Amino acid sequence: MKPDRDAPVGVFDSGVGGLTVAREIMRNLPSEKIVYFGDTARVPYGNKSKENVIRYSRQIIHFLLEQRVKAIVIACNTASAFALDEVRDEFDIPILGVIEPGARVAAQETKNKKVGVIGTEGTIGSGIHASYLKRLNPEITVIGKACPLFVPLVEEGWLHDPVTVEVVARYLQEFKDKEVDTLILGCTHYPLLRSTIGEFMGDSVRLVNPAYETALELGALLKKENLLSPGKEQEEFPYRFYVSDLADKFKAFANSILPYDVEMTKKIDIEKY
């Protein structure tokens, strides 16, 4: 049975980081409706085992299917690294991760074949960006680094704080020393630090924002599957947000970064799924 083109797209993340992906979908595919789930009770995924991340992802996909979504974006690098291949095989619905779109652009953009990747411990430890980039171009050298302090700094709202500037310098000096010319922001929180990271790395380094590239890839996928929304009637609430905990905190953060006022954030019991 073909899904309904008017149906929403499901987007999920371990917490608020995936809102950067939702934001790019809103900007680049304005006629698409979104059902977003943030697993705020179990965040972060970056230090969880592969088995647990796969289990969480399955539960969330079951919930999103109940919401009658037509496609799903795993807007979390760790879940994309650990669970994407598994759930793609299990569920009969187009599912997209955030790693491949960013890696493809990085492989195209790099001139000196030195690509840096920053992300959580889980994402960097999985080596998934490196293996994907090597498949695209075996000559690329990939330098990965976990930057665990970036997420709490973003969630605290300290995007341009002197503390953040100092942490960015400490983490990223290695990439300057090794002369990377392309840097993948391999965690969905990191685009919110883009200007601070860009100031430190300088104009000669291309920053790849996988949230933006994923939104473009989603558009191409929906087009290919003949699932692009005709966008005839605009619903009063085209974007719905669900979380597993701390709905008010999530809503406040969402309203600080989205180009849209979040009216409704509902807490659900994800363990039921």
Side-chain angles (χ1 to χ4, degrees):
M1 196 177 88
K2 260 292 187 204
D4 172 13
R5 288 193 306 169
D6 258 330
V9 172
V11 178
F12 79 86
D13 178 52
S14 57
V16 297
L19 289 168
T20 58
V21 178
R23 177 170 73 171
E24 295 297 345
I25 296 170
M26 291 172 181
R27 285 175 177 162
N28 294 284
L29 302 167
S31 58
E32 297 299 338
K33 300 194 274 284
I34 297 172
V35 175
Y36 182 97
F37 179 80
D39 198 359
T40 43
R42 302 185 292 202
V43 69
Y45 283 5
N47 56 14
K48 303 281 194 296
S49 70
K50 181 172 181 172
E51 293 69 36
N52 269 333
V53 173
I54 292 171
R55 182 170 69 84
Y56 298 166
S57 300
R58 276 196 192 111
Q59 289 176 322
I60 296 164
I61 291 168
H62 283 301
F63 165 72
L64 290 172
L65 291 175
E66 206 175 76
Q67 305 301 309
R68 301 218 180 292
V69 299
K70 62 185 176 183
I72 291 174
V73 179
I74 302 182
C76 168
N77 283 268
T78 306
S80 294
F82 287 166
L84 179 62
D85 290 342
E86 298 258 351
V87 296
R88 257 188 187 155
D89 293 341
E90 275 174 45
F91 295 96
D92 186 24
I93 184 172
I95 302 180
L96 193 64
V98 284
I99 288 171
E100 292 170 14
R104 255 199 297 283
V105 170
Q108 286 159 10
E109 293 280 331
T110 180
K111 306 269 190 301
N112 69 3
K113 306 286 183 277
K114 291 180 183 172
V115 176
V117 183
I118 51 177
T120 63
E121 305 274 0
T123 302
I124 300 301
S126 76
I128 190 159
H129 287 89
S131 65
Y132 196 71
L133 282 159
K134 291 274 189 203
R135 256 186 308 184
L136 294 170
N137 183 343
E139 290 176 13
I140 290 176
T141 300
V142 184
I143 297 127
K145 190 175 182 72
C147 301
L149 291 176
F150 282 177
V151 168
L153 288 167
V154 167
E155 295 198 358
E156 203 55 58
W158 295 4
L159 304 183
H160 306 283
D161 191 272
V163 171
T164 308
V165 173
E166 173 64 23
V167 171
V168 164
R170 290 278 286 274
Y171 278 147
L172 303 188
Q173 184 60 45
E174 180 186 339
F175 294 111
K176 269 190 171 171
D177 297 344
K178 292 182 175 165
E179 297 180 346
V180 306
D181 71 350
T182 308
L183 181 64
I184 299 174
L185 307 180
C187 168
T188 45
H189 282 73
Y190 297 1
L192 298 169
L193 294 175
R194 186 188 179 128
S195 60
T196 307
I197 291 170
E199 275 162 32
F200 178 76
M201 292 304 296
D203 293 340
S204 60
V205 176
R206 165 79 154 89
L207 301 184
V208 177
N209 174 3
Y212 172 70
E213 307 303 341
T214 301
L216 299 189
E217 188 137 323
L218 173 66
L221 176 72
L222 294 176
K223 191 174 180 185
K224 185 177 129 228
E225 301 280 346
N226 196 24
L227 287 173
L228 273 174
S229 167
K232 292 191 292 288
E233 74 290 357
Q234 199 48 37
E235 277 186 29
E236 193 183 354
F237 299 115
Y239 308 125
R240 305 203 307 273
F241 298 89
Y242 297 89
V243 293
S244 48
D245 202 9
L246 302 170
D248 289 343
K249 191 178 174 191
F250 175 92
K251 188 173 156 182
F253 188 86
N255 277 322
S256 74
I257 70 161
L258 292 178
Y260 161 90
D261 275 345
V262 177
E263 300 285 340
M264 186 206 93
T265 302
K266 194 169 173 193
K267 181 181 160 182
I268 61 149
D269 178 9
I270 195 64
E271 293 288 3
K272 285 198 324 227
Y273 290 90

